[in-house]
Amino acid sequence: MRNKTVGRRFTMLFGTVFLLSGTGLITLVYLLSGSDMTRAAPGQPPPGGPATGIERHVLDLERQLAEVHAQQSRQLLFGSLIAIAVLAAGSFLLGRILAGHVLRPLRLITTATRRISAENLHQRLAVAGPDDEVKELADTVDGLLARLEASFAAQRRFVANASHELRTPLATIRASLDVAVAKPRPAAQTVALADRLRTELDRVDHLLEGFLVLARAQHGVLPDRIPVSLAELAAQALSARAAAIAEKNLSVDDGLTSKAWTLGSPALLSRLVQNVIDNAIVHNHEGGWIRITTGNDDAGDGDAGNDAAGDGDASGGDAPGRGAAGARLVVETGGRVLDQDQVDRLTQPFERLGTDRTGSQEHSGLGLSIVAAIVAAHGGSLDLRVRPEGGLKVTAAMAPADSPDGRHGGTP
């Protein structure tokens, strides 16, 4: 629990001011009420002789009045002490209430700011009220968010535009290589060089395509949202990669027991599933295994909560979490024991495990970062969790949707 130092300071300040003011007022009233105590003590005979009967009667009355006044003074002192004690408690309680009222706009600003991330920079605090210091602070934060949004948008446009522009010279280079090799009796060195260059050009094309998909997903604009089955996308991806799976002698446990319908972009969701399965194939060992499952979890499903929300949540979106309904895709692989801290960084571009972080010839390092961006664009969550016995478990969870026939979820 964090120490609310500002609220505590305001409480102490307000409470102390009220307490000192009240104590000063009570003390002043007490002093004024006892100001006539400085007169001569009653009950003394007047100088010049013994007191007569009338004088003795007057002296008795004065003595009785002095006793009543002393009793009233004691009662006033006791009442003043009680009033100060009550005032002390009331002052700090009132100070706490006032401190909460003063800091309430700041708490609202803090809560609203925490909900804003790179995926929803278009949101603003838009604090209404008088033109005071609090509104000036909120307007300053809104201005900062506007500048950040413009900066992020410019960066993503640059990535997309650069990727598009670079494809033209790459196509020209590829065409030049084809022309050189197509000549009668080309030199062996030319053919070998052309093959190596084509391989590198394919890698660059794949990298540029990854940049384009990443930029599109990070924009979060999905105009083509329709019901999409994660199970069908997974089946298609497995079928298209049958040769790669057979080449590494991998065993696949196909647990596509539910259609797992969700609402989103078919192209982006297809790329999400492909990247996760590609990651499971590329980073698997010879003769390894892959387990793929899909599901539509109902509210309160414990497995859904464990799969969809965990300590390694990488997306930060408003995802189906523990105890919530959601469509999920789970891909597990065996292998060596991994470090969770390194795995958590795999959703960042060009992050790779161990010595493969940079310069890999097999993959671009954008696969899981693209997956994280697509999941976030669909308001889902991505959980990368190491398996204690070795390998990795990837869970992508998104909001469920009704199938095109109107049924929720369903089995194949």
Side-chain angles (χ1 to χ4, degrees):
M1 183 175 180
R2 290 174 293 181
N3 189 11
K4 305 291 187 178
T5 55
V6 176
R8 187 172 300 170
R9 288 174 184 173
F10 273 122
T11 300
M12 295 296 295
L13 176 62
F14 292 145
T16 302
V17 170
F18 287 131
L19 178 61
L20 292 178
S21 300
T23 303
L25 180 60
I26 293 174
T27 303
L28 181 61
V29 170
Y30 177 76
L31 292 177
L32 292 177
S33 64
S35 60
D36 58 345
M37 294 290 293
T38 57
R39 60 188 176 86
Q44 299 295 330
T52 64
I54 297 176
E55 291 174 343
R56 284 196 298 272
H57 184 68
V58 172
L59 291 176
D60 289 338
L61 292 176
E62 290 179 349
R63 187 181 300 110
Q64 293 175 7
L65 290 173
E67 291 175 357
V68 171
H69 184 76
Q71 184 179 2
Q72 290 177 346
S73 298
R74 288 192 298 271
Q75 291 177 350
L76 181 60
L77 177 61
F78 183 70
S80 299
L81 294 177
I82 294 178
I84 290 176
V86 174
L87 182 63
S91 297
F92 286 101
L93 178 61
L94 183 60
R96 182 181 181 87
I97 295 174
L98 289 177
H101 180 72
V102 170
L103 295 178
R104 183 173 178 274
L106 296 180
R107 287 197 297 268
L108 294 177
I109 292 176
T110 302
T111 303
T113 305
R114 284 175 178 167
R115 290 198 300 264
I116 299 175
S117 62
E119 285 73 30
N120 56 353
L121 281 174
H122 61 280
Q123 295 184 7
R124 297 292 182 268
L125 302 179
V127 174
D131 192 10
D132 54 8
E133 288 82 358
V134 174
K135 191 173 187 307
E136 182 180 1
L137 173 61
D139 292 341
T140 302
V141 174
D142 284 342
L144 174 62
L145 292 175
R147 293 192 295 272
L148 287 175
E149 181 185 16
S151 177
F152 272 75
Q155 180 186 24
R156 291 163 182 168
R157 281 196 302 270
F158 171 78
V159 172
N161 293 336
S163 300
H164 276 297
E165 293 297 330
L166 286 174
R167 285 194 164 186
T168 300
L170 289 177
T172 303
I173 295 173
R174 193 183 298 274
S176 300
L177 290 176
D178 293 339
V179 170
V181 174
K183 292 181 178 180
R185 293 187 296 277
Q189 295 86 349
T190 302
V191 175
L193 178 60
D195 291 338
R196 287 197 298 268
L197 288 178
R198 284 198 185 97
T199 302
E200 294 302 319
L201 287 174
D202 291 339
R203 291 187 63 249
V204 175
D205 277 339
H206 183 69
L207 182 62
L208 292 178
E209 183 183 0
F211 278 142
L212 288 172
V213 175
L214 184 60
R216 182 186 175 192
Q218 288 178 339
H219 273 298
V221 180
L222 305 174
D224 53 344
R225 282 179 178 265
I226 62 173
V228 179
S229 170
L230 297 180
E232 292 179 359
L233 295 180
Q236 294 170 6
L238 287 174
S239 176
R241 288 153 180 77
I245 293 173
E247 183 180 353
K248 298 189 74 169
N249 194 25
L250 301 176
S251 62
V252 179
D253 182 3
D254 183 352
L256 307 178
T257 58
S258 170
K259 289 285 188 179
W261 291 97
T262 188
L263 195 66
S265 166
L268 290 181
L269 290 176
S270 176
R271 184 59 181 268
L272 180 155
V273 175
Q274 292 171 11
N275 281 15
V276 173
I277 294 179
D278 284 340
N279 186 76
I281 296 174
V282 171
H283 297 284
N284 217 320
H285 59 275
E286 186 75 22
W289 59 270
I290 301 174
R291 183 182 301 119
I292 303 176
T293 58
T294 56
N296 279 87
D297 303 310
D298 295 327
D301 189 339
D303 293 338
N306 293 335
D307 288 336
D311 297 335
D313 188 1
S315 71
D318 298 330
R322 188 177 298 277
R328 62 187 173 98
L329 168 72
V330 182
V331 178
E332 294 183 76
T333 58
R336 62 186 177 91
V337 177
L338 304 174
D339 180 68
Q340 184 66 52
D341 291 335
Q342 290 186 352
V343 169
D344 290 340
R345 294 195 296 268
L346 291 180
T347 56
Q348 301 299 320
F350 305 113
E351 287 286 347
R352 302 175 177 88
L353 287 174
T355 56
D356 289 338
R357 285 189 58 192
T358 59
S360 174
Q361 298 298 318
E362 296 182 357
H363 52 99
S364 63
L366 291 176
L368 289 179
S369 62
I370 292 175
V371 170
I374 295 174
V375 170
H378 288 79
S381 68
L382 177 66
D383 180 36
L384 307 181
R385 189 175 303 177
V386 300
R387 304 176 72 254
E389 60 272 24
L392 183 64
K393 180 180 181 180
V394 180
T395 303
M398 282 160 286
D402 292 334
S403 62
D405 58 8
R407 292 182 299 175
H408 181 70
T411 57

